[in-house]
Amino acid sequence: QVQLVESGGGLVQAGGSLRLSCVASKSIISINYIAWYRQAPGKQRELVAGITNGAITNYADAVKGRFTISRDTTLNTVYLQMNSLKPEDTGVYFCKAQWRRRAWDNLGDYWGQGTQVNVSS
């Protein structure tokens, strides 16, 4: 099992910045992939950015050049630095980990409780 705790959400004006944190209960090196998702009211949850245990990153087109995902392996924490925020970035941001106990197990998805981000125009 992996527990994830997100923090850092809040209210910010358009053009502003926020940094989200996702603290994992296990070493993030042991976690295959950690990603940030977001869900706006009335919309499906969507991938924002992810990072593999080998530090390979990927981003949704809508956030490329504005958001940066990074990690601190000593703190078992993954960050999402969000700059040049837009009202359409508003939503609940969730952290998800893909992890398996043994090499031959299937990967399981583990979610945090989410943190709210509101961007005002």
Side-chain angles (χ1 to χ4, degrees), residues 32-91:
N32 285 59
Y33 181 68
I34 299 180
W36 286 97
Y37 284 73
R38 68 186 179 190
Q39 188 165 20
K43 294 189 176 181
Q44 288 190 330
R45 197 171 295 189
E46 61 178 2
L47 175 69
V48 176
I51 185 166
T52 70
N53 54 4
I56 297 171
T57 60
N58 64 292
Y59 296 90
D61 287 343
V63 306
K64 282 180 181 176
R66 299 189 298 123
F67 291 10
T68 302
I69 190 168
S70 63
R71 67 182 187 177
D72 186 329
T73 57
T74 64
L75 298 176
N76 293 330
T77 301
V78 173
Y79 303 100
L80 184 68
Q81 178 66 44
M82 307 187 294
N83 298 329
S84 302
L85 282 161
K86 304 175 181 180
E88 51 263 43
D89 294 317
T90 292

